Amino acid sequence: MSRRRTALAVSLTAGLALVAAGCGGGDDDSAGLPADQENTAGDGTGSPSGDGIRLGILGQCEGPFGGFHEDVVAGTTLALAQFAGATPNSTTSALEGFSGAEVAGTPIELVGIGCGDDTADRIVQEVRRLVEQLGANVIIGPLSGDEGIAIAEYAKANPELTVLAGISGSQEQTLQVQAPNYFRFYGDGAIWSAGLGDLLHNQEGWDSVAVIADDYSFGHTSAAGFVADFCAAGGEVTHRVFPPLGTTDYSSYIAQLPNPDEVDGYFWAVGGTGTQAALEAFVNGKGDLTGDQHAGNLFFNPALAQALGTGIAGAYVGGFATLPADVQTPEIEEYLAAADETWETIPGSLSGNEPAPPSVAAAFGFFYGYYTAGVALVESLEAVGGDVSDLDAFHEAISGLTLDLPYGDISLDENRSGIVDVGLSRLVLDDSGEVVQETVAIVPGVDQTFGGTFSPDTPSPGRDFPACEERDLPWEGNAIPVVDGVPQS
């Protein structure tokens, strides 16, 4: 096993256990640039000017995903270091900002970093601070589902602003809000479930499944994709249980699930600090885990075995913005090496917010989503020769991009949301008896209509939507198998 793969498996449980603590509160330097670096110039309107790009990054330093604050700022910083000449101000943290970024003669200046906490109210306060007080005209972020909807609405109300979403996975921010100045170069939670239900029903023989998901927009979207996929293939969803995000005692929600002898399997879309806690409650309430009876979204990972034992092996995992570490290409290796060359260490979430090789953080989707946004900013500036005085032309250039990225090309649909390939994986035991993540299939070219399941006119994903209906999906039976990390097509 590679050093990076081992580090990822060993560190992820520790990292997710610390995310609630985050990186500090709104009054310290983790909420933005250090006071002596924060740039307060600008007209406060978010409109482009001769000053070039005034960039604000929306992270999340508190709440269930607070431990990823360093990761997401580092993702954008790496893109600008690789392609715009930026130099980080610290060799051990991205939160200290950067300098020297320029594209086609246009400078990119970081005016501040927003500190979200997974709530819409807080992230709107932070974007208003960045735009209306610090003069940001481009925003990269936010991180989480409800935040994405709020920032898309803010963008729609402020057409002079340009927003490149970070890694927020709710569906509504692009499919329903449809702000013409809001762009998402990654999938949503439903997209990342594409093909998983098909695999479980047609390959693993699951006919029935119970779903448990966080009761907020990303949990709803992730569960909606799985429900649509599993039911399209002919399966039945028997239960849908939605604990609030941030729940600490899951026992009452586990009690609402059927027993293992009453259902073929369980799908988990419980994230952040809740993944391990929910699974531990399952063990206490329903008995030992049998991996081949469980599947999960991006928060299922090898490090769960540290707390839950190797019984988690056999579980299938939906996709995310990156692929598991067994898939290696020259492009992926170059990307990870670039992260290690940019900093000596960074304290990302996967290392428990302790210093670690930057490639550890770069291999996971939170970092990578913000990286893709940074690449999109650079390439769109190149397309307009650095001239952002004509916002319509600038936004048209962003919409027309096809990004050639380490984990696959990404283009945008008519609602400016990513069309992406989805990697499905499984937790397995390696030769040493350690649980590792192994890619099993890639589902190519999924967009957020999900084969006609979702549209601007359908309800938002929720506790009861979508209904469980058998239907044809374009990827059913067409996923590309992956063997030993190599796609077979």
Side-chain angles (χ1 to χ4, degrees):
M1 186 188 308
S2 68
R3 173 180 62 82
R4 183 172 64 85
R5 187 175 179 184
T6 301
L8 179 61
V10 167
S11 61
L12 187 49
T13 292
L16 293 178
L18 290 173
V19 293
C23 306
D27 296 328
D28 67 23
D29 290 347
S30 70
L33 296 177
D36 61 351
Q37 297 176 31
E38 201 169 70
N39 192 328
T40 58
D43 61 11
T45 67
S47 59
S49 70
D51 295 331
I53 298 299
R54 297 177 55 78
L55 175 64
I57 300 175
L58 288 173
Q60 189 174 136
C61 65
E62 298 176 344
F65 307 106
F68 289 103
H69 194 50
E70 177 83 38
D71 306 56
V72 299
V73 177
T76 293
T77 302
L78 177 59
L80 298 180
Q82 276 189 285
F83 306 117
T87 300
N89 294 334
S90 166
T91 61
T92 57
S93 174
L95 298 179
E96 297 296 316
F98 59 81
S99 60
E102 183 177 299
V103 177
T106 298
I108 302 173
E109 180 183 13
L110 181 63
V111 300
I113 301 169
C115 170
D117 66 357
D118 196 62
T119 65
D121 287 347
R122 173 68 169 270
I123 207 66
V124 169
Q125 291 175 4
E126 288 298 284
V127 76
R128 292 189 65 183
R129 177 177 68 85
L130 294 175
V131 174
E132 298 168 24
Q133 296 180 30
L134 300 182
N137 55 30
V138 173
I139 292 291
I140 290 181
L143 183 152
S144 192
D146 290 355
E147 295 178 331
I149 300 169
I151 296 304
E153 294 283 8
Y154 181 86
K156 194 171 187 177
N158 293 272
E160 72 284 352
L161 183 65
T162 301
V163 179
L164 298 157
I167 196 64
S168 170
S170 55
Q171 181 187 93
E172 295 92 330
Q173 60 193 276
T174 47
L175 191 61
Q176 275 83 27
V177 178
Q178 297 185 341
N181 52 337
Y182 187 95
F183 308 88
R184 168 161 55 183
F185 283 89
Y186 57 89
D188 66 16
I191 287 175
W192 293 327
S193 294
L196 184 58
D198 175 25
L199 184 155
L200 292 171
H201 179 69
N202 289 319
Q203 180 175 310
E204 298 301 314
W206 289 20
D207 290 323
S208 60
V209 68
V211 172
I212 179 168
D214 290 320
D215 196 11
Y216 81 121
S217 57
F218 175 70
H220 295 163
T221 304
S222 183
F226 177 78
V227 168
D229 199 78
F230 188 74
C231 294
E236 176 190 6
V237 176
T238 64
H239 296 70
R240 306 188 199 197
V241 176
F242 292 94
L245 181 67
T247 294
T248 54
D249 181 0
Y250 286 87
S251 58
S252 63
Y253 300 98
I254 299 302
Q256 298 174 41
L257 295 173
N259 292 325
D261 61 353
E262 298 173 324
V263 70
D264 291 326
Y266 304 87
F267 174 75
W268 300 78
V270 177
T273 51
T275 311
Q276 181 177 314
L279 288 167
E280 288 175 339
F282 182 92
V283 171
N284 292 334
K286 303 292 186 182
D288 292 340
L289 289 174
T290 302
D292 59 10
Q293 200 176 14
H294 294 268
N297 69 358
L298 63 99
F299 292 102
F300 259 45
N301 60 82
L304 290 171
Q306 293 182 10
L308 301 167
T310 58
I312 194 69
Y316 281 93
V317 186
F320 196 24
T322 56
L323 295 170
D326 62 330
V327 177
Q328 287 293 298
T329 65
E331 293 80 8
I332 293 172
E333 291 172 355
E334 180 182 356
Y335 159 72
L336 297 173
D340 288 337
E341 292 166 2
T342 301
W343 298 274
E344 295 175 3
T345 61
I346 58 171
S349 187
L350 299 193
S351 58
N353 296 124
E354 295 295 327
S359 54
V360 174
F364 201 42
F366 287 93
F367 183 115
Y368 188 70
Y370 279 70
Y371 174 83
T372 66
V375 174
L377 175 59
V378 170
E379 293 200 10
S380 58
L381 285 172
E382 291 175 342
V384 296
D387 181 5
V388 293
S389 61
D390 183 344
L391 271 181
D392 289 340
F394 183 43
H395 293 163
E396 184 177 352
I398 300 173
S399 298
L401 292 174
T402 295
L403 300 182
D404 181 6
L405 292 164
Y407 290 97
D409 294 353
I410 298 178
S411 59
L412 300 184
D413 65 15
E414 62 184 5
N415 296 314
R416 295 157 296 281
S417 195
I419 302 171
V420 302
D421 298 341
V422 179
L424 305 178
S425 58
R426 195 176 195 184
L427 304 182
V428 300
L429 291 174
D430 67 6
D431 293 340
S432 68
E434 183 178 0
V435 176
V436 298
Q437 194 166 352
E438 180 178 273
T439 309
V440 297
I442 293 176
V443 181
V446 185
D447 68 55
Q448 70 173 165
T449 67
F450 214 79
T453 306
F454 306 114
S455 77
D457 299 322
T458 57
S460 296
R463 296 177 180 179
D464 301 314
F465 182 80
C468 189
E469 297 175 346
E470 189 169 356
R471 60 182 301 159
D472 292 330
L473 292 176
W475 52 82
E476 185 173 352
N478 295 317
I480 301 168
V482 177
V483 178
D484 295 330
V486 179
Q488 300 302 293
S489 174

